[in-house]
Structure formats: C-alpha cells, structure tokens
Amino acid sequence: MPQALQLQQEIITLEQYEAFPAEKRAEVFDGIVYDMASPSQIHQALSMELSNILYNYMKSKKKSCQVFSAPFDVKLSDQPLTIVQPDIMVICNKDKLDGKRCNGAPDFIIEIVSPGNPSDDYIRKLYYYKNAGVREYWIVDPRRKTVTINYFEGNIVSVQYPFDSIIKVNIYDDLFINFSEIANLLNI
C-alpha cells in the first residue's frame, strides 16, 4: 500500500525571521512562516479609527499603556518561535518592549478580519492569544459587521456585537467604543 507523501515545512529561527526583507509581511506560528496579504482600504480605515480612539483615551487618562499598530512584531514564544503582527495592540508593561518588538502578550489586541483568511483571526490567533496571556482580544469583521469580544480574565469567554453597538473595553472601567459612529463615519 503506497504511503502518502508528507511535506515537511521548514522551522525557522528568530535570526532567520529577522533576516527577512523589510517589505515581507509574515507571521510565524510554531516556527512555520505564514505570508500575510496587504490590508484593504476598509481594513486600514477601521485600524486608524480604532487606534486613534485608544490613543486619545490613553493620553486623556494619562495611562502608561502604549498603543501600537501593524506592522509591529509581538514575539509570543521563543520555542517554538511564534511572532505575530496584530492590527492594533495595547501594551501596559513597558519591560516587554525592547525597541524592536513586544516580547510577550500585549494586554489588548484588535484584529480586523481580512476576507481571504477569516479563520486566522477566529481560530488560530484566538488560540495563540489566549494561551499567551492576552487579557482581551477583539475580532472586528467588516464583512459581517460584527465585533467579537474575547475577554480572558473574567467569566466572559466570547460575546458578539453588531456594528451598531457601543462596546466596553473590559480591561478599563471607563472606555467604551461606539461602533455605530465608526460605521457611519466610514460608510460601512
């Protein structure tokens, strides 16, 4: 009986990852490289709006947390190497920042779903973010017009909201994001 041919994917190191050309968009899960598609116009518009809301909140409340947007590397694991580039992240522990990347889990991550690979955000990244210690993870899906909140600290596991909602950022007591305003502004 013939045996199935198994393709072996090369496991890369941090040094190999850092040698990639600057224009290469890729993430690494358990040492395996996955190329990323360029973001769409609506993806970028949502990213800008959400980043601005988070940045302005941090600034007005004099929070020590910092907001970053892609492309900015987050190394979730050394062995096996796992490096992601979340669309938006909030990092409160400045010791995780080394000038090149965040080493360890950000406190809050927002991923905006790309039409070509929704399972990346809903399945793969959910698994890695939860296991790495991300406190809260939002999945913003412009096609479905939904926001899925995954809050890993409390009893809330996963709650989905339509774009016409005002949604609380659970890691803060007084931060609410009005998706209805964003959707109207961007004509979504």
Side-chain angles (χ1 to χ4, degrees):
M1 187 152 127
Q3 290 196 356
L5 183 63
Q6 236 180 331
L7 295 175
Q8 287 238 301
Q9 292 181 305
E10 181 185 353
I11 304 295
I12 70 159
T13 65
L14 179 59
E15 293 74 27
Q16 289 170 311
Y17 177 81
E18 289 177 336
F20 286 170
E23 65 276 2
K24 181 172 176 69
R25 292 184 37 88
E27 293 179 309
V28 180
F29 293 93
D30 294 329
I32 299 171
V33 177
Y34 294 85
D35 290 324
M36 300 170 64
S38 293
S40 67
Q41 179 181 335
I42 194 65
H43 183 285
Q44 290 298 84
L46 278 165
S47 181
M48 288 295 294
E49 286 299 319
L50 292 165
S51 295
N52 284 334
I53 290 167
L54 292 169
Y55 174 80
N56 289 332
Y57 172 81
M58 300 299 164
K59 189 174 177 182
S60 72
K61 299 291 183 174
K62 298 181 177 21
K63 299 279 186 191
S64 61
C65 303
Q66 289 184 276
V67 179
F68 294 90
S69 59
F72 186 70
D73 287 345
V74 174
K75 184 172 61 164
L76 296 176
S77 170
D78 284 309
Q79 291 296 326
L81 183 64
T82 299
I83 296 180
V84 293
Q85 291 185 356
D87 291 319
I88 304 166
M89 69 206 89
V90 174
I91 301 165
C92 298
N93 181 349
K94 294 200 186 335
D95 292 339
K96 291 182 178 181
L97 299 169
D98 68 6
K100 291 195 287 188
R101 70 179 62 88
C102 174
N103 296 288
D107 294 86
F108 179 51
I109 289 177
I110 298 175
E111 291 284 7
I112 301 163
V113 177
S114 297
N117 61 348
S119 64
D120 254 16
D121 298 320
Y122 283 105
I123 299 168
R124 185 194 329 250
K125 289 184 178 180
L126 175 69
Y127 170 81
Y128 282 92
Y129 292 163
K130 181 177 182 182
N131 290 327
V134 171
R135 296 168 60 197
E136 186 167 355
Y137 170 43
W138 286 22
I139 304 168
V140 177
D141 192 330
R143 189 180 57 78
R144 292 182 180 168
K145 297 183 179 172
T146 60
V147 180
T148 305
I149 310 301
N150 299 283
Y151 183 54
F152 302 128
E153 290 190 323
N155 293 329
I156 301 170
V157 176
S158 182
V159 179
Q160 192 171 83
Y161 295 91
F163 264 21
D164 63 357
S165 303
I166 297 174
I167 306 170
K168 183 181 187 308
V169 177
N170 291 291
I171 65 169
Y172 296 111
D173 292 331
D174 58 350
L175 177 55
F176 295 84
I177 296 179
N178 187 335
F179 263 85
S180 183
E181 282 182 5
I182 296 170
N184 287 336
L185 179 68
L186 301 177
N187 294 319
I188 300 175

